[in-house]
Amino acid sequence: MLSFSRNFEKILLNNVEKSLALSISYSTETKKEVKEEFRILNLKSVKGKVQPRKPQKQLEALQPRASKMPVDQDWASVWPGPKTFHPASVPLPVRQGYVEKAAAAPDKYGNAELMKIPNFLHLTPPVIKRQCEALKKFCTPWPKGLENEEKCEKHFPIEVVSSDYCHSAPTLRNPLARIVTIKLKLSSLKLDGRAKDKFIRLVGERYNKETDTVTIVADRCPLKKQNYDYAMYLLTACYHESWNVEPWEELKSEADMEYYYWNNNASKKSVEALFGKPTEDIPNVQEYSEAVSTLINEGESEYLVTKYGQSVRKLLGLPDELKS
């Protein structure tokens, strides 16, 4: 047993010595490899050996595009639509900006004033003609019977006015875009004398007597369509209400009328009895009726009294008043 243990210890010692020897040899080899891989850059050895630089190639500046444009070019291909101003693409001596006294305004190169405003350089007559020709296939012929303003107003008496806005804001909906204005001639509505008078009282200041125009403005609703419907509702309500006859209106006599209407008064009956025929066949009766109505409604004045006297002489066929 003692001999076996001694032999075993010798074997262990030999193995340990071999492993230590291998580790030491591996470490020395790796150090040699590291020293060979990482070399030191010595700049002193190349001192004084400066290589000459290659001369840089000078690039020629290209001329602006505007100087090369032919006179008969297709401008629609150069400026097809709205865009920011570009000085090299516009063959025109454009100037913009404020200067003191009589100095010339800044030219187009490097001009911020020209770049920040919208331009209409794309809307030249040939381009507009070309665009109109392209849109013709989507259009229908103009309706017959609407050749002038009078015919258009006769067939379409209501005029609707509204506005659209395009602006930069947190919302695309401009508050002013909701306003809708409706205009029409009062004569285009089929109203008799009583209904016409009642309609004028209902609309109040919205009626212009000089132009015979009724104007209704709607802006209380948030949307344009809602204001349009509301304005048409007001117009419809006023029209039907003007034809509505209340029971107390039947009790009104001639003295209760707010205005003097010659056709509804005794003056018309007196003229018909004097001439023995209806007013349609009496000459100069229209001028006489207008003079009487104006005199009573607006009050007496030297001009209206003189006009009334002249209309009476014409109605009776009397000569003009002799001058003293």
Side-chain angles (χ1 to χ4, degrees), residues 14-239:
N14 292 331
N15 291 334
V16 171
E17 290 176 359
K18 288 180 180 180
S19 61
L20 290 173
L22 290 172
S23 62
I24 292 170
S25 63
Y26 176 76
S27 61
T28 53
E29 290 177 358
T30 52
K31 287 180 180 179
K32 289 180 181 179
E33 292 177 358
V34 170
K35 287 181 180 180
E36 291 178 358
E37 290 179 0
F38 295 92
R39 296 180 181 181
I40 299 175
L41 178 61
N42 190 3
L43 298 176
K44 294 181 180 180
S45 61
V46 296
K47 187 177 182 181
K49 298 180 180 179
V50 180
Q51 297 181 357
R53 295 183 179 178
K54 295 181 180 180
Q56 295 182 355
K57 187 177 180 180
Q58 297 292 335
L59 298 177
E60 296 182 0
L62 298 177
Q63 294 183 358
R65 183 184 179 185
S67 61
K68 301 179 181 179
M69 290 181 177
V71 179
D72 56 347
Q73 65 177 344
D74 185 14
W75 181 248
S77 300
V78 179
W79 209 278
K83 63 178 181 178
T84 306
F85 181 82
H86 196 285
S89 300
V90 181
L92 300 173
V94 185
R95 291 181 175 272
Q96 176 75 21
Y98 172 78
V99 292
E100 296 181 357
K101 298 183 179 180
D107 59 2
K108 60 183 179 179
Y109 292 100
N111 194 329
E113 296 295 330
L114 288 172
M115 292 188 290
K116 69 182 182 182
I117 62 174
N119 59 76
F120 298 92
L121 295 175
H122 60 289
L123 297 179
T124 56
V127 174
I128 295 176
K129 184 177 180 180
R130 186 185 305 176
Q131 293 178 356
C132 292
E133 292 294 334
L135 294 174
K136 273 187 177 180
K137 60 182 179 180
F138 302 105
C139 301
T140 57
W142 186 258
K144 295 182 179 180
L146 301 177
E147 290 79 9
N148 50 37
E149 292 293 334
E150 290 76 11
K151 293 182 179 179
C152 292
E153 185 177 345
K154 178 182 178 181
H155 295 284
F156 301 95
I158 300 178
E159 178 184 357
V160 181
V161 181
S162 61
S163 302
D164 294 324
Y165 298 87
C166 181
H167 63 130
S168 178
T171 176
L172 297 177
R173 186 170 297 166
N174 192 302
L176 299 177
R178 73 181 194 278
I179 303 175
V180 177
T181 303
I182 291 179
K183 297 181 180 180
L184 75 155
K185 296 285 187 180
L186 184 59
S187 58
S188 62
L189 299 176
K190 296 181 180 180
L191 300 172
D192 59 4
R194 186 199 60 80
K196 182 178 179 181
D197 176 68
K198 193 172 184 179
F199 186 89
I200 294 175
R201 293 176 182 277
L202 289 173
V203 298
E205 298 179 354
R206 299 174 181 86
Y207 174 69
N208 189 344
K209 185 178 180 181
E210 297 179 357
T211 59
D212 192 37
T213 305
V214 179
T215 305
I216 300 176
V217 181
D219 60 351
R220 63 175 58 189
C221 300
L223 298 179
K224 181 188 299 184
K225 181 64 169 59
Q226 295 173 342
N227 284 314
Y228 170 77
D229 294 340
Y230 179 66
M232 295 300 295
Y233 161 75
L234 292 178
L235 178 62
T236 305
C238 291
Y239 177 80

Side-chain angles (χ1 to χ4, degrees), residues 259-298:
Y259 295 98
Y260 178 86
Y261 295 100
W262 187 79
N263 292 329
N264 300 335
N265 286 271
S267 176
K268 178 181 178 181
K269 299 178 181 179
S270 300
V271 172
E272 291 177 345
L274 179 63
F275 287 89
K277 51 186 176 180
T279 55
E280 292 79 8
D281 300 333
I282 301 175
N284 300 322
V285 70
Q286 182 66 25
E287 183 178 353
Y288 171 76
S289 63
E290 292 178 356
V292 174
S293 301
T294 305
L295 180 64
I296 296 177
N297 290 328
E298 299 183 6

